[in-house]
């Protein structure tokens, strides 16, 4: 069992920045891919960004490329998502996720979900 603790959400004006943090604990022995999904009201969950310890890949949703940066010490199971130039359409609940070995863009492929953190971007 893996537990994920996310923090850093909040309310920000358009153009502003936030940094989300995620710390994994529990049975974190295997090489993970850790990342973020988000879900806006009335929409399905979508993959935002991910980093894989196994193959060192980093993946981003097209609409956040150039604005969001994922980083951290994945060997210590800690990942950050720096979100710059935020837009109202980035408003959503953001979930830290864990998948064994490789990143996934599918919610059904995620092995563990953290509790969400709300990000609200006002216009």
């Amino acid at each position: 069992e893996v537990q994920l603790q996310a923090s850093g959400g909040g309310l920000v004006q358009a153009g502003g920045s936030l940094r989300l943090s995620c710390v994994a604990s529990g049975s974190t022995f295997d090489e993970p891919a850790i990342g973020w999904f988000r879900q806006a009201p009335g929409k399905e969950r979508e993959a935002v960004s991910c980093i894989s310890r196994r193959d060192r890949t980093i993946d981003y949703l097209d609409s956040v490329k150039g604005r969001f940066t994922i980083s951290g010490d994945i060997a210590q199971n800690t990942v950050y998502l720096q979100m710059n130039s935020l837009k109202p359409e980035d408003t959503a609940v953001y979930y830290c996720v864990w998948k064994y070995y490789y990143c996934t863009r599918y919610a059904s492929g995620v092995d563990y979900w953290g509790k969400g953190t709300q990000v609200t971007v006002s216009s």
Side-chain angles (χ1 to χ4, degrees), residues 2 4 24-25 27-35 50-57 73-79 97-104 111-112:
V2 174
L4 301 165
S25 60
S27 302
T28 58
F29 306 115
D30 291 312
E31 294 177 317
I34 303 178
C50 179
I51 182 168
S52 168
R53 182 178 175 186
R54 171 63 68 94
D55 62 5
R56 309 293 183 181
T57 59
D73 186 347
I74 197 168
Q76 297 297 320
N77 299 312
T78 301
V79 171
V97 301
W98 170 291
K99 184 184 183 305
Y100 290 109
Y101 309 126
Y102 303 108
C103 293
T104 181
D111 293 305
Y112 295 100

Side-chain angles (χ1 to χ4, degrees), residues 39-74:
Q39 187 168 24
K43 296 187 177 181
E44 295 186 354
R45 291 186 183 185
E46 61 180 356
V48 177
S49 186
C50 179
I51 182 168
S52 168
R53 182 178 175 186
R54 171 63 68 94
D55 62 5
R56 309 293 183 181
T57 59
I58 295 176
D59 195 27
Y60 292 102
L61 180 67
D62 284 346
S63 63
V64 308
K65 286 181 180 177
R67 301 188 296 121
F68 291 11
T69 303
I70 193 168
S71 66
D73 186 347
I74 197 168

